[in-house]
Amino acid sequence: MLKHTAASLRDIWDVLTAEVRRVFSDKTTIVIFFLATAVYPPLYYYIYHQEVLTAMAVAVVDLSRSEESKRFVHKIDATPELRVAYRPPTLPQAEELLAAHKVEAVFLFPADYAERIAKRQTATVTCISDIGSFIYYKNALLAGSAVLLDEMETIQLAHQAADGLTGAAAEIQVQPVGFDDVKLFNPTGGYAQYFIPALLLLVIHQTLFFGICVLCGDANENRKALHLIPPHLRRRSIYRVTLGRLLCFLLIYIPITLFDLCLVPRLFGIPQIGSPADTILFLLPFVVSVICFAMTFGNLFSRQRMSTLLSALFFSVILFFLSGMVWPQSNMPHFWLAFSYLFPSTPGIQGFVRISSMGATLTQVRGEYLALWIQAGAYFLTACLSLRYINKYRKI
Amino acid sequence: MLRVIVRELRRIWLFPRYLVILTLGAVFSFVFFATVSGEGQPQELPVAVVDMDGTYLSRRLCHEIDATPAVHIKALYTNHTEARKAMQRGEVFAFYEIPEGIYNDLLQFRSPHLTLYTNQAYLLAGSLSYRQLATMGHLATGAVQREVLRKKGFKDDEIMGIIQPVALETHAVGNATGNYQIYLMTTLIPGIVALMAMLHTAYVIGRERQERTVKSWMRKAGGDAVKAMVGKALPYTLHYTLLLLVAEVVMYGPMHFPMQGNWPLLMLVSLLTVTAAQSAGCFLMGCIPDPSVAMSLTSAYGTLAFTMCGFSFPVDAMPLPMQLFSMLFPLRHYWLAMRDITLYGSGLEQCWPEVCVLAAFVLLLLIGAAMLGRQFERRVAC
């Protein structure tokens, strides 16, 4: 019994050291594992570090030329999001500015704007926004709404004053119920704070996946899959080989993951409000399941060194979308939601973002945590089975 | 050059696996994005209400919130902590807090406060639910005002003018409802096809080096590296341009995505985008002798394109070096031109800079070919 365990450990150790040597003697895996994980996070942080688009240029077409419309325009100019850059006299001229990308939005005040307000009818302001980038549209929408709500109160107070009601009594009439809003977890709506935690996780996921697939492809291409298995283990104890490789990648990726997901956000001032212990406990099954998933895929489908990069890179875009960070999971068709849980990135990103950006505890992400352990177990099994399969059926 | 093309077609015929996989991958991506976000804008986002009051008024507020198409109330809680925890579990994107005694405070003119909490860690869901719910909050105030005015004898149409003196209508150019699917697919699908074209071209060049067959490839081109490179890339140019055009025809045709401009120009831009992406691939493959290192760098550059094209985060909000860097990505120029053509109906007089830059990318292919030719003479990795 003891002898058997000792032999197992010895085999696992042999595979592990052989695999470590393979990783460090391959230029491509060094580029993918170490260079990509070192360059991507700071680069993305640098790209997004301004977080928000401020002072977006807008044009105002004021056909009303009244005190009311001027006040509205003034408030638009005062928002941090928007800046009134042009005041063309007619709408077609404003649309030309929009088409030439000199402005990203146009606000139009109709000629009867002040008149309708005086008659106590609803006056309509029209905003036409560019949607090339959704941020333009979001800026126009949110800043426009904020000004609108403020202006509604001002006009109502003016009406009350005209009716002889002023001060606190008028305010109660206009706003019988006060309204506050609190933006949680990313108060400025910043892009870096939203995007980078999810992106960092995807970088870990994809570099591990492609790195392992390059190694598997190399083994498959050069028909040396058997070299991975110590001669006396052929046709049995495949699990020792898989476990040895798993430990090798785990050893390499523990420091990389800690660097990318715990140190880099701190260096660049991305708030991480979750407990570090929870973060690390959560990341462990994530890395294990990515490794096992990649080994399964690599054993079966990675026929050549470069083939997985060629055929699976476009999937990164889809993986990010499947994670539910763009389109909410609550609104995904059931089929795609189920499909998304085939990949460790989905529970990984959901759980990590909630722990790190929203301060959730491990029990609050228990669904995702469980999903990752199940994936880790299932993909470990498939990794073993796929290795057995290629050793048995492919003539190597 | 014809001989190079024939040789390449033969190679594809003998080993069609990756062409088939990538074509299926492009179709899959198209179907995925067309079905996953079919609603256009997320509807019925789950939100919660913390009702600490539990009176007629608070229940009516809940009804009004639930009646908004953008959200639906998934849970009612009695305290703040529970709602916050539900948000951390990812069950709701926002919640309203109705304070205790709101009805009494209202009757006694003490101006009670409603509070709205939105989760901005999910940017899209957070900001969309925020807008709807903030407007709701103010309409709730309006509902109370309406009751008061009705009692005073005002008619309903007069009341609307009083409680909502101004309204704001927001339209997006060419995409009036702010349909997210249109916005996503018009950039992502061409981006994916261009990425595939680049990687595939890079891959087939890398394969020649890996298999040490550069010599036979060069011989077919009569020793001219440029001819060899162009001949090799052309079958893929044709294939991926065709794929991209089919995708565009489906999007702007049966799917009714906005298309204000002229088709020939969009087709020209699509063709140039594919060739530009391929040229970038040829450049990297030509310059870096180790094919799989070159392939991983090409991949890194290719994935960056989705960020650098500026469709998610605008390029003008990036630091200046990155704004310049964005010029090096064909997808950036495609995005600029596509936006002008489809949304604004612009013609060549507006898009000529993008067309010229995309065409200039072919220079990269020439440089890549020259490098390859030189390495071939010196027998480096050939």
Side-chain angles (χ1 to χ4, degrees), chain A residues 21 28 34 75 82 96 99 135 163 176 200 202 206 232 242 282 286 297 312 318 322 325 351 366 369 391 394:
Chain A
R21 251 176 270 132
T28 316
F34 302 104
K75 284 180 185 171
L82 307 179
E96 268 170 36
I135 303 270
D163 296 345
L200 292 179
L202 201 62
Q206 293 302 79
H232 63 286
T242 308
F282 182 82
F286 171 72
F297 189 94
I318 291 179
L322 278 174
M325 287 308 290
R366 127 180 102 216
Y369 196 51
N391 273 296
R394 278 192 205 147

Side-chain angles (χ1 to χ4, degrees), chain A residues 259-276:
Chain A
F259 172 77
D260 272 4
L261 297 179
C262 300
L263 193 67
V264 166
R266 238 149 262 228
L267 283 179
F268 292 117
I270 305 250
Q272 284 198 312
I273 57 178
S275 100

Side-chain angles (χ1 to χ4, degrees), chain A residues 209-224:
Chain A
F209 176 77
F210 287 116
I212 291 176
C213 282
V214 165
L215 289 175
C216 290
D218 189 52
N220 283 339
E221 187 174 17
N222 297 317
R223 314 242 152 160
K224 62 184 182 195

Side-chain angles (χ1 to χ4, degrees), chain B residues 25-106:
Chain B
V27 173
F28 175 85
S29 310
F30 192 95
V31 173
F32 173 75
F33 284 108
T35 52
V36 77
S37 59
E39 291 171 301
Q41 271 205 5
Q43 301 290 315
E44 301 283 323
L45 283 169
V47 299
V49 173
V50 181
D51 186 357
M52 295 192 268
D53 191 43
T55 56
Y56 154 76
L57 181 74
S58 65
R59 280 196 299 272
R60 229 190 92 191
L61 277 175
C62 291
H63 274 298
E64 297 216 6
I65 293 170
D66 216 14
T68 336
V71 296
H72 93 102
I73 297 179
K74 200 185 170 193
L76 282 172
Y77 296 105
T78 47
N79 63 59
H80 177 88
T81 319
E82 278 180 50
R84 190 183 157 100
K85 281 188 174 157
M87 195 187 256
Q88 285 173 325
R89 283 196 303 270
E91 290 165 14
V92 296
F93 289 103
F95 60 91
Y96 259 115
E97 202 168 288
I98 305 174
E100 201 180 335
I102 185 173
Y103 193 47
N104 278 331
D105 284 352
L106 193 67

Side-chain angles (χ1 to χ4, degrees), chain A residues 68-79:
Chain A
E68 285 82 359
S69 60
K70 276 180 195 150
R71 192 174 57 218
F72 200 114
V73 174
H74 191 74
K75 284 180 185 171
I76 292 176
D77 207 13
T79 60

